[in-house]
Amino acid sequence: MAPSTQVSGLSLPCLLLILLLEIPGAGAQEFQLLQPQGAVLVSPGETLTLICSVTGLVPVGPMKWFKGSGSGRQLVYAEVGSLPRVTRAVSGSYTDFTIRISDTRPEDAGIYRCVKFMKGSGPDEEIRSGAGTVVSVSGRWPLAIPALWIGLFLEKVLIAAFLLFSFLSTMSKGLGAVSWFSRTVAACQHLCLCLCPCRPGNESTDAPAVSPAGRAEGAQA
């Protein structure tokens, strides 16, 4: 076997190794932080999953999740100090830093970023941040809203029934039924206030409403 060729005191295999180490990408793979989700839509109460992973030669240091940006950003996940509803999807992994937020709430909406820190002689240094994931929490109608619509519908049906019955009774009894008709209208108004007391414009007053027919009756008396 032929001996290795010597160049300036170094063998050919050593020169090839040095050459490979100096070519970008030929040695250790470059560190990358991947946050693939651009936007996520969840409903209240569901579990939100935020994906983050790293590849290549990972520097020594913690990985953290934040909500928002700048000095006012909120820490969401860290090895120490995570929010109560936040957990790691793959516990103990050195490459997968996906987190889950359980029981999602409307206030969880925002932009989330996973951030890589590197340990140093002083405080940990931030070296890489994810692109960010926009989280939207879709609202659900409270149970009171359908109940309100049902109440409004029943209100209109009852008012129509009362007015129709009052009109027919008035026509059958003649002018002497005007007073009874006035009391029926007042009863309808009171019923509306009882069915939907929170409707805008339903403000109670001390003096009861008096219909034109009622005023005419009072003038005749």
Side-chain angles (χ1 to χ4, degrees):
M1 182 176 180
S4 301
T5 305
Q6 300 288 327
V7 178
S8 300
L10 295 175
S11 63
L12 185 58
C14 289
L15 289 174
L16 291 175
L17 179 60
I18 293 174
L19 211 61
L20 287 173
L21 290 175
E22 298 215 353
I23 298 175
Q29 186 179 359
E30 182 183 0
F31 169 71
Q32 291 185 347
L33 189 153
L34 306 175
Q35 189 178 348
Q37 296 166 297
V40 176
L41 176 64
V42 292
S43 297
E46 294 180 346
T47 298
L48 169 65
T49 300
L50 296 173
I51 300 174
C52 178
S53 61
V54 295
T55 60
L57 186 60
V58 182
V60 177
M63 179 75 78
K64 300 179 182 180
W65 277 90
F66 292 92
K67 176 186 175 185
S69 59
S71 58
R73 64 184 181 179
Q74 177 188 8
L75 178 64
V76 174
Y77 171 82
E79 294 179 0
V80 178
S82 301
L83 295 180
R85 295 179 290 114
V86 181
T87 56
R88 282 277 300 273
V90 184
S91 180
S93 174
Y94 293 100
T95 58
D96 190 345
F97 293 92
T98 299
I99 61 172
R100 292 192 178 103
I101 302 178
S102 61
D103 188 21
T104 307
R105 303 167 186 175
E107 56 267 27
D108 292 329
I111 301 177
Y112 291 77
R113 290 182 175 87
C114 56
V115 181
K116 177 63 180 177
F117 289 81
M118 183 174 64
K119 284 189 174 295
S121 55
D124 295 340
E125 177 186 358
E126 180 179 332
I127 61 171
R128 196 70 54 86
S129 176
T133 300
V134 179
V135 174
S136 302
V137 182
S138 62
R140 288 179 178 173
W141 280 14
L143 293 178
I145 294 181
L148 177 61
W149 284 107
I150 294 173
L152 291 174
F153 175 75
L154 292 178
E155 171 194 348
K156 295 183 182 298
V157 171
L158 290 175
I159 289 175
F162 267 103
L163 292 178
L164 178 61
F165 179 75
S166 301
F167 175 76
L168 295 177
S169 299
T170 303
M171 294 298 293
S172 63
K173 294 179 181 179
L175 296 177
V178 173
S179 177
W180 181 86
F181 179 76
S182 301
R183 290 196 299 269
T184 304
V185 172
C188 288
Q189 293 176 344
H190 179 70
L191 179 63
C192 295
L193 292 175
C194 292
L195 286 174
C196 297
C198 298
R199 281 184 58 193
N202 282 348
E203 299 176 357
S204 60
T205 58
D206 295 333
V210 179
S211 66
R215 287 197 296 268
E217 179 189 1
Q220 293 176 0

